[in-house]
């Protein structure tokens, strides 16, 4: 696979491997750590079934193999069965990323029949679900029912739980809950600070101590369950000193198509100022991937500034995440400030230091739930609606 | 990783649970797909995997390969690949 080269020239463009179809931003939940754009209420109408079928066909033709149906809650689209069936015919390996809300037996049977390969059940509200689990109340019952359906239809039991300051101390209990559901794979994903999560960062970023205890609990749990349950623990990148190789490089393997048809090189790129991203209604995916200005802006390394430009690690991490660089420094061509070599690294370390006040609400502003009303307010706040912590 | 597999010429392998094997035109090669990932197979690995179907024995896979590629001794390659593939969970022993 071609990676961003060491010379400052336009690189050879590899074909895409991943298509993330964010088929709707409708969602029955209101998670404070959602990575969805905070201004989603400003977006235009959703793509039609026919539009989505064309996106699937055209993306497959240029090489995409992995397909994620996400949202919002993708089950809010009642044509998901049609899309799943077409995806299988086209040869995608398709994944449904869902909270399980709305997953009835009728629907899962249709997904199986249509050839859906994989379901990832997310615990969108793990604090409440965990509490419900301990007290055997209704959300947990719903999740258990969905988990049973997933097993009954011979899907691997894959759970994703987002960790943050308010639930990370319950890592052991969360893993017990996963075990009780018969999970084979568990991803403990620490919140990444985009979208709604960035707005609520001060309430969500755990302390170093919390993180350490959670990792210990995870390791102890791994030792107890052995190979029957694989547990992945994803550390929040604010606690790293090397930036993540975001999307394996801009325009390298990944395509996101948003509910309104906007096509992006990652889930968040729409926030970046000065870039325009094409709409799948107006352009074909081949032109979008290879030729659209938006997809070419940060390919290769010609755009890089110091310290990235001459950094030997640029071929590994591509300077980190463009969106995080923009959100935290105001310039997407800066190094991702997670990097300890970044002149802006203090922005991340300041946030981390601020978080080291155990048990204390470190901010005065109330937590913001992901809902239409808050989205409209956040949209008004800034033209680009970048979700800087308030 | 799975434990090292012991198998004989009569062993029958099947594709691992949740894996799919297919030809990818864009890659001009065979791949194995699984949740959120893909393994691109070499030409010879693809030829072996094409014959792993839940009914062919190791012996019949070898015989079929020898018929397709006459004069080439593939036994070592086949055995080595099946061990690696099993170790990675790409294939599993079909229980009689």
């Amino acid at each position: 696979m071609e990676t961003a080269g060491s010379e400052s020239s336009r690189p050879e463009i590899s074909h895409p491997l991943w298509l993330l179809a964010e088929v709707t931003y409708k969602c029955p939940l209101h998670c404070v750590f959602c990575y969805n754009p905070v201004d989603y209420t400003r977006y235009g109408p959703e793509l039609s079934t026919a539009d989505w079928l064309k996106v699937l066909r055209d993306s497959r033709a240029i090489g995409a193999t992995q397909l994620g149906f996400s949202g919002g809650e993708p089950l809010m689209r009642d044509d998901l069965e049609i899309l799943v069936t077409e995806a299988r015919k086209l040869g995608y390996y398709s994944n449904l990323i869902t909270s399980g809300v709305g997953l009835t037996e009728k629907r899962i049977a249709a997904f199986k029949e249509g050839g859906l390969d994989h379901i990832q059940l997310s615990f969108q509200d793990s604090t409440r679900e965990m509490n419900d689990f301990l007290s055997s109340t209704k959300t947990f019952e719903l999740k258990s029912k969905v988990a049973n359906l997933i097993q009954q239809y011979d899907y691997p039991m894959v759970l994703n739980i987002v960790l943050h300051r308010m639930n990370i101390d319950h890592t052991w209990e969360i893993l017990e809950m996963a075990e009780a559901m018969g999970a084979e794979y568990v991803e403990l994903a620490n919140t990444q600070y985009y979208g709604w999560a960035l707005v609520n960062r001060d309430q969500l970023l755990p302390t170093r101590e919390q993180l350490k205890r959670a990792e210990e609990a995870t390791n102890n749990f791994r030792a107890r369950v052995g190979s029957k349950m694989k547990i992945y623990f994803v550390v929040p990148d604010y606690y790293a000193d090397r930036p993540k190789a975001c999307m394996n490089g801009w325009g390298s393997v990944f395509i996101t198509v948003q509910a309104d048809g906007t096509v992006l090189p990652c889930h968040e790129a729409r926030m970046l100022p000065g870039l325009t991203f094409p709409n799948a209604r107006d352009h074909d995916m081949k032109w979008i991937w290879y030729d659209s200005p938006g997809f070419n802006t940060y390919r290769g390394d010609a755009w890089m500034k110091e310290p990235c430009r001459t950094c030997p690690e640029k071929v590994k991490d591509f300077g980190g995440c463009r969106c995080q660089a923009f959100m935290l420094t105001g310039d997407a061509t800066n190094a991702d400030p997670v990097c300890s070599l970044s002149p802006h690294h203090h922005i991340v370390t300041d946030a981390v230091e601020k978080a080291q006040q155990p048990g204390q609400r470190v901010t005065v502003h109330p937590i913001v739930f992901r809902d239409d009303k808050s989205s409209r307010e956040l949209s008004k706040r800034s033209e680009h609606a970048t979700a800087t912590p308030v | 990783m799975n434990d090292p597999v012991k198998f004989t010429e009569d062993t029958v392998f099947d594709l691992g649970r949740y894996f799919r094997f297919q030809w990818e035109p864009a890659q001009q090669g065979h791949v194995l797909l699984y949740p959120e990932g893909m393994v691109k197979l070499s030409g010879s690995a693809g030829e072996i995997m094409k014959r792993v179907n839940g009914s062919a024995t190791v012996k019949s896979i070898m015989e079929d390969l020898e018929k397709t590629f006459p004069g080439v001794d593939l036994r070592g390659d086949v055995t080595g690949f099946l061990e690696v593939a099993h170790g990675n969970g790409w294939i599993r022993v079909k229980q009689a």
Side-chain angles (χ1 to χ4, degrees):
Chain A
M1 188 184 303
E2 178 73 18
T3 52
S6 54
E7 289 171 29
S8 296
S9 59
R10 183 168 153 164
E12 192 184 315
I13 301 170
S14 52
H15 52 75
L17 297 176
W18 248 103
L19 173 65
L20 183 71
E22 293 186 338
V23 291
T24 181
Y25 288 123
K26 293 193 191 84
C27 188
L29 304 173
H30 306 289
C31 304
V32 295
F33 48 77
C34 184
Y35 73 78
N36 274 177
V38 294
D39 59 344
Y40 70 86
T41 42
R42 290 206 296 197
Y43 293 5
E46 289 182 1
L47 291 183
S48 67
T49 309
D51 293 331
W52 276 115
L53 291 173
K54 184 170 185 301
V55 166
L56 295 183
R57 276 195 299 273
D58 292 354
S59 303
R60 180 74 187 126
I62 56 170
T65 47
Q66 288 282 345
L67 170 63
F69 289 109
S70 182
E73 171 50 66
L75 292 168
M76 300 291 280
R77 291 272 310 210
D78 59 12
D79 57 356
L80 199 55
E81 288 80 349
I82 299 170
L83 304 183
V84 159
T85 305
E86 182 68 9
R88 181 65 188 89
K89 280 188 202 148
L90 291 166
Y92 281 106
Y93 194 94
S94 55
N95 308 270
L96 172 62
I97 301 157
T98 178
S99 68
V101 177
L103 189 59
T104 58
E105 175 150 17
K106 190 175 169 214
R107 295 202 82 180
I108 197 172
F111 295 146
K112 192 74 190 184
E113 172 76 24
L116 180 73
D117 292 287
H118 174 216
I119 298 172
Q120 180 189 293
L121 184 60
S122 301
F123 278 66
Q124 255 67 8
D125 183 4
S126 50
T127 313
R128 179 165 154 211
E129 279 151 349
M130 213 268 307
N131 290 337
D132 284 1
F133 165 65
L134 296 172
S135 59
S136 304
T137 49
K138 70 175 182 187
T139 320
F140 180 71
E141 281 167 26
L142 167 81
K143 283 283 149 89
S144 298
K145 209 174 135 198
V146 170
N148 286 338
L149 280 176
I150 287 173
Q151 284 170 325
Q152 188 188 328
Y153 282 83
D154 196 32
Y155 281 112
M157 192 60 208
V158 182
L159 298 186
N160 178 289
I161 295 130
V162 178
L163 294 183
H164 47 73
R165 189 181 182 93
M166 292 178 278
N167 70 2
I168 193 167
D169 290 332
H170 304 300
T171 298
W172 182 270
E173 290 82 1
I174 288 170
L175 288 168
E176 282 185 328
M177 176 178 75
E179 190 187 17
M181 288 186 169
E184 293 161 77
Y185 301 89
V186 179
E187 184 173 293
L188 295 170
N190 271 281
T191 306
Q192 303 277 346
Y193 295 98
Y194 297 94
W196 299 85
L198 184 61
V199 174
N200 294 312
R201 186 181 69 191
D202 288 343
Q203 281 101 334
L204 296 175
L205 191 62
T207 69
R208 200 171 280 120
E209 257 317 293
Q210 284 185 300
L211 197 59
K212 197 173 145 228
R213 284 198 302 267
E215 287 194 274
E216 277 167 14
T218 304
N219 287 332
N220 291 339
F221 205 89
R222 281 189 185 122
R224 182 162 88 59
V225 290
S227 62
K228 77 169 181 178
M229 193 165 119
K230 279 200 178 121
I231 310 170
Y232 303 92
F233 189 91
V234 184
V235 177
D237 68 351
Y238 276 49
Y239 279 95
D241 60 1
R242 313 308 317 143
K244 57 181 177 275
C246 198
M247 298 293 136
N248 198 39
W250 181 278
S252 156
V253 294
F254 202 91
I255 304 175
T256 296
V257 180
Q258 296 191 300
D260 69 347
T262 304
V263 188
L264 304 172
C266 77
H267 333 325
E268 306 292 331
R270 188 161 172 163
M271 71 168 84
L272 297 175
L275 298 185
T276 48
F277 291 103
N279 193 290
R281 287 190 184 95
D282 311 322
H283 298 277
D284 68 71
M285 296 301 287
K286 189 174 179 187
W287 179 84
I288 291 172
W289 179 255
Y290 288 99
D291 298 314
S292 68
F295 271 77
N296 281 299
T297 305
Y298 300 118
R299 277 193 172 127
D301 57 8
W303 54 272
M304 281 182 185
K305 291 189 197 170
E306 294 296 354
C308 298
R309 176 172 282 276
T310 54
C311 182
E313 296 192 29
K314 68 179 175 181
V315 294
K316 278 195 285 184
D317 59 35
F318 317 106
C321 171
R322 295 307 89 234
C323 304
Q324 189 147 274
F326 168 67
M327 289 187 300
L328 301 185
T329 77
D331 181 350
T333 64
N334 279 330
D336 184 335
V338 159
C339 181
S340 58
L341 302 171
S342 157
H344 300 96
H345 185 53
H346 63 92
I347 295 170
V348 170
T349 53
D350 286 353
V352 165
E353 285 320 309
K354 201 172 160 194
Q356 308 310 311
Q357 300 168 38
Q360 197 178 322
R361 284 278 178 275
V362 286
T363 53
V364 288
H365 82 86
I367 201 155
V368 181
F369 289 91
R370 177 207 188 279
D371 57 27
D372 292 0
K373 184 168 165 276
S374 303
S375 172
R376 283 190 288 270
E377 279 166 15
L378 286 163
S379 301
K380 268 187 262 165
R381 197 171 293 173
S382 117
E383 197 193 330
H384 295 294
T386 52
T388 40
V390 284
Chain B
M1 291 290 280
N2 293 331
D3 296 332
V5 63
K6 288 191 179 67
F7 61 91
T8 68
E9 288 200 326
D10 299 322
T11 303
V12 173
F13 283 106
D14 203 350
L15 210 53
R17 201 172 164 221
Y18 316 133
F19 281 83
R20 196 201 302 157
F21 170 75
Q22 69 185 29
W23 173 260
E24 275 300 298
Q27 316 251 11
Q28 283 298 298
H30 286 101
V31 297
L32 281 165
L33 296 165
Y34 57 94
E36 299 183 27
M38 179 173 79
V39 184
K40 193 176 173 188
L41 298 170
S42 67
S44 53
E47 287 298 330
I48 300 167
M49 278 306 299
K50 243 158 97 176
R51 292 161 171 81
V52 172
N53 56 10
S55 61
T57 61
V58 171
K59 188 175 177 212
S60 64
I61 288 174
M62 286 179 176
E63 285 170 356
D64 193 44
L65 282 165
E66 278 163 3
K67 224 186 290 168
T68 316
F69 304 98
V72 187
D73 182 11
L74 295 163
R75 278 168 193 272
D77 284 357
V78 174
T79 310
F81 174 78
L82 291 175
E83 279 167 6
V84 170
H86 186 273
N88 287 318
W90 303 342
I91 58 173
R92 53 184 166 168
V93 175
K94 178 137 182 178
Q95 303 300 334

